[in-house]
Amino acid sequence: MTTAILGGGLTGLTLARLLHERNEKVIVLEAGPQIGGLCRSRTTEGFTFDTGGSHIIFSRDQEVLAFMRRMIGGNEQRNDRNTRIFYKGGFVKYPFENGLYQLPPEDRFFCINSFIKNLIAVEKGEIPHPKNFRDWIYYTFGAGIAECYMVPYNEKIWKYPTEKMSLHWVDGRIPRPPVEDIIKAAIGIETEGYTHQAVFSYPLEGGIEALVRAIAAPVEPFIRTGFRVTSLKKEGKIWQIGDGTETITADRVISTIPVQHLLPCLEDVPPAVKKACDTLVYNSLVCVNVGIRGDLPPISWMYVPDKGLGMTNRLSFPSNFSRNAAPPGCSAILAEITHQPGDEVGGMTDRELTGEVLRMLASMKICTPDQVVFTSVERQTFAYVVYDLAYQENIRAIRDFCRSRDIPLVGRFAQFEYLNMDGVIRSAMDFVTSYPAG
Ligand SMILES: Cc1cc2nc3c(=O)[nH]c(=O)nc-3n(C[C@H](O)[C@H](O)[C@H](O)COP(=O)(O)OP(=O)(O)OC[C@H]3O[C@@H](n4cnc5c(N)ncnc54)[C@H](O)[C@@H]3O)c2cc1C
């Protein structure tokens, strides 16, 4: 029996490897010229940048973390996280609630005062349970932390009004320090938040793509790149998978490609399911990569909530993840700009985007234009799942339909879930455990 895996990103490759290790016959069909999906990296003029946004290896899931670290083997640099939020010209420790002592005094007062008053009101049951993401932010943190950081940053990354976002996903994804830590942070006692990420790994050579390459190594002969699946049909017991010029057959199919790509491959999709799929919300991403002469502050990455500074929502410093990510004497900066598919950011030229980012970096005093020795721009259509209020209903309709067609969905945009690398590897592991032998 052959299992065809649609998509050669991290999920598809992990599935292929795990099934291969079980002696199953697999074939991975990847549309792009190379494997890796969002976990690709490009090295040019000695600078290595991840093309799907800056990636680091971390997880609460010890089995998955051990798997990822085993895959990259000795090709690993371990780093202490030093993450900041750029706030009113200063570098505030991340998570924001753990960095309150670094705020100007009036903002510190606003945050801690409203946090405590809000906490008392919640305890007394005076504030109704939140029904959307914005209400959850106010309910959990009070108006100060909400208005100084949480709402502006979240609206900048999601490009979506927080009151129109669901809150079912926040547990575990948004740091929630204990009350004591917030009070300590406000009076200047150092605390650490989101501790499972406090130490992270990154490949010394090859960027994050080194991880997917290592996972893919034993299944390389079974990967077809340049095969964009455009039709998928079951005839009798056999799947016919086409790319418009060729048809490949398989006994079973697993999809790791975005549902927005899968459904158009299928016949007789009910209009309600098609509509549910069209209604799902996601963000695209532009990465502006900048190589400079000289050093950077020893910061891992930095959130930029202030819209006035520029379009970038996050800056990462890959040469602080791996000493080999930039040539000697140079440093690397990766600016991430999320945007809605088809909006004006998508229409901006590389030159316009780069100019915008360089102006922002200069105004933040991170680097001056004369230090710049390299720039490049990368674009990803599918970057972030956005959980709008209709999400759960829409995704249920799509999943039920795909189940009825015998097409398992595994992966970030196949499940349409905000899953990190550890999440998609966990999904792949769990899927394979329950997959009957072929
Ligand atoms: C900005 C950003 C930063 C991130 N940072 C981190 C991080 O620091 N740590 C972390 O753990 N995770 C991080 N992630 C998440 C991580 O990138 C994803 O969890 C992971 O890459 C998802 O892998 P995937 O295989 O499910 O999806 P994808 O990588 O999207 O792979 C899907 C594959 O399907 C292919 N495909 C699509 N359509 C077709 C078709 N019709 N036929 C054939 N093939 C097709 C695509 O070309 C692609 O290769 C980040 C994500 C983003 C966007």
Side-chain angles (χ1 to χ4, degrees), residues 376-398:
S376 66
V377 174
E378 303 281 356
R379 292 175 166 85
Q380 300 289 340
T381 305
F382 289 92
Y384 286 102
V385 167
V386 180
Y387 289 122
D388 69 325
L389 292 172
Y391 166 83
Q392 282 171 301
E393 201 183 316
N394 288 329
I395 199 67
R396 198 175 310 116
I398 296 163

Side-chain angles (χ1 to χ4, degrees), residues 7-12 29-32 36-39 52-56 58 227-229 256-258 261 285 314 336 383-384 411-413 419-422 424:
L10 177 62
T11 310
L29 302 172
E30 164 57 44
L38 281 170
C39 294
S54 170
H55 281 66
I56 57 158
F58 72 99
F227 193 100
R228 177 174 296 279
V229 179
T256 78
I257 67 178
H261 286 189
L285 177 73
R314 185 170 75 152
E336 291 169 6
Y384 286 102
R412 184 166 166 116
F413 287 101
L419 296 174
N420 269 338
M421 296 189 296
D422 61 339
V424 299

Side-chain angles (χ1 to χ4, degrees), residues 20 24 93 109 121 131 153 210 217 229 235 341-342 373 389 402 418:
H20 174 74
E24 303 279 347
K93 183 178 172 143
F109 172 73
K131 290 207 165 46
Y153 180 70
V229 179
E235 283 179 2
V373 294
L389 292 172
C402 290
Y418 179 21

Side-chain angles (χ1 to χ4, degrees), residues 140-156:
T140 310
F141 298 106
I145 294 173
E147 287 163 23
C148 291
Y149 171 65
M150 288 294 284
V151 172
Y153 180 70
N154 278 289
E155 298 209 333
K156 202 172 187 193

Side-chain angles (χ1 to χ4, degrees), residues 39 48 63 67 102 133-134 167 187 198 211 223 226 262 270 274 276 282 291 294 311 318 337 342 371 377 399:
C39 294
T48 301
E63 185 189 2
F67 172 80
Q102 291 167 320
F133 183 35
R134 187 186 183 87
L167 54 80
I187 59 176
L211 172 66
I223 299 172
L262 175 69
K274 197 175 168 311
Y282 61 93
M311 302 185 305
I337 301 169
Q371 285 180 275
V377 174
R399 287 183 188 155

Side-chain angles (χ1 to χ4, degrees), residues 221-339:
F222 315 114
I223 299 172
R224 267 291 296 272
T225 51
F227 193 100
R228 177 174 296 279
V229 179
T230 54
S231 65
L232 181 62
K233 198 160 58 177
K234 203 170 187 181
E235 283 179 2
K237 288 189 165 179
I238 300 295
W239 285 99
Q240 312 275 341
I241 310 158
D243 72 345
T245 54
E246 194 188 337
T247 302
I248 285 177
T249 57
D251 305 280
R252 300 192 279 189
V253 159
I254 308 169
S255 175
T256 78
I257 67 178
V259 282
Q260 291 83 350
H261 286 189
L262 175 69
L263 292 194
C265 298
L266 304 171
E267 289 175 348
D268 304 326
V269 178
V273 174
K274 197 175 168 311
K275 186 163 174 240
C277 186
D278 291 343
T279 317
L280 291 175
V281 187
Y282 61 93
N283 273 342
S284 302
L285 177 73
V286 169
C287 296
V288 177
N289 304 318
V290 180
I292 61 161
R293 250 183 297 106
D295 293 329
L296 287 168
I299 294 176
S300 314
W301 65 90
M302 189 154 60
Y303 300 95
V304 189
D306 185 353
K307 271 192 197 153
L309 277 170
M311 302 185 305
T312 301
N313 53 283
R314 185 170 75 152
L315 284 173
S316 302
F317 305 108
S319 48
N320 291 341
F321 299 177
S322 159
R323 57 182 170 275
N324 298 333
C330 293
S331 307
I333 306 166
L334 192 165
E336 291 169 6
I337 301 169
T338 54
H339 67 101

Side-chain angles (χ1 to χ4, degrees), residues 205-227:
E205 298 286 349
I208 203 62
E209 190 172 322
L211 172 66
V212 282
R213 294 254 160 227
I215 292 172
V219 290
E220 260 174 30
F222 315 114
I223 299 172
R224 267 291 296 272
T225 51
F227 193 100

